[in-house]
Amino acid sequence: MLMRTDPFRELDRLTQQLIGPGTWSKPAAMAMDAYREGDEYVVAFDLPGVSADAIDIDVERNMLTVRAERRPAAKTDSVQMELSERPLGVFSRQIVLADTLDTEHIKADYDAGVLTLRIPIAERAKPRKIAIGGTSDRREISG
């Protein structure tokens, strides 16, 4: 077996052990990316090893909450853990969404350990042209 030491990874692992796994009352944060793609915002959360049924997505007004739980693998008496670096427990992230987003039409996909949410921009927030009606080209100059 190839073994390599990384002092920063060891420090992260020790810190995680001291903090402990996330719980429902004090969940750990999950990594995410957010970007705009055309007429929608995309938010991607890293949740490797989490089953889709252990993910909960809620929207209340403009607050988006994503919670997930990574449970330990089923262990038997014949299994002896040699190394355990993958964090277990509850993970959560809350995002305040702008009023310009359409929270009624959020789409969620989960593939290869990545939860991807697509949030469309509301029609009322998209730029539009305003027609000018009833104008005259005549101008009076007083002097």
Side-chain angles (χ1 to χ4, degrees), residues 5-76:
T5 58
D6 179 355
F8 296 108
R9 180 169 290 188
E10 278 300 302
L11 184 60
D12 287 344
R13 186 182 64 76
L14 289 172
T15 302
Q16 185 64 32
Q17 283 180 344
L18 290 174
I19 294 172
T23 62
W24 284 105
S25 61
K26 187 178 178 188
M30 63 184 87
M32 68 173 240
D33 291 335
Y35 54 92
R36 183 175 175 166
E37 186 175 59
D39 284 342
E40 62 187 8
Y41 277 90
V42 180
V43 185
F45 299 91
D46 281 349
L47 295 169
V50 175
S51 64
D53 64 340
I55 300 172
D56 185 41
I57 306 166
D58 289 316
V59 176
E60 185 176 338
R61 294 192 184 105
N62 63 340
M63 179 68 71
L64 172 74
T65 303
V66 177
R67 285 183 171 274
E69 184 177 9
R70 183 180 301 125
R71 299 173 184 109
K75 296 180 183 177
T76 63

Side-chain angles (χ1 to χ4, degrees), residues 1-4 9-10 13 17 75 79-86:
M1 169 161 58
L2 178 63
M3 297 187 76
R4 184 178 84 178
R9 180 169 290 188
E10 278 300 302
R13 186 182 64 76
Q17 283 180 344
K75 296 180 183 177
V79 174
Q80 179 180 346
M81 185 61 77
E82 296 291 331
L83 179 65
S84 179
E85 293 182 347
R86 296 172 33 191

Side-chain angles (χ1 to χ4, degrees), residues 77-99:
D77 292 337
S78 63
V79 174
Q80 179 180 346
M81 185 61 77
E82 296 291 331
L83 179 65
S84 179
E85 293 182 347
R86 296 172 33 191
L88 300 174
V90 179
F91 303 87
S92 180
R93 216 44 205 262
Q94 286 190 314
I95 304 169
V96 177
L97 301 176
D99 291 334

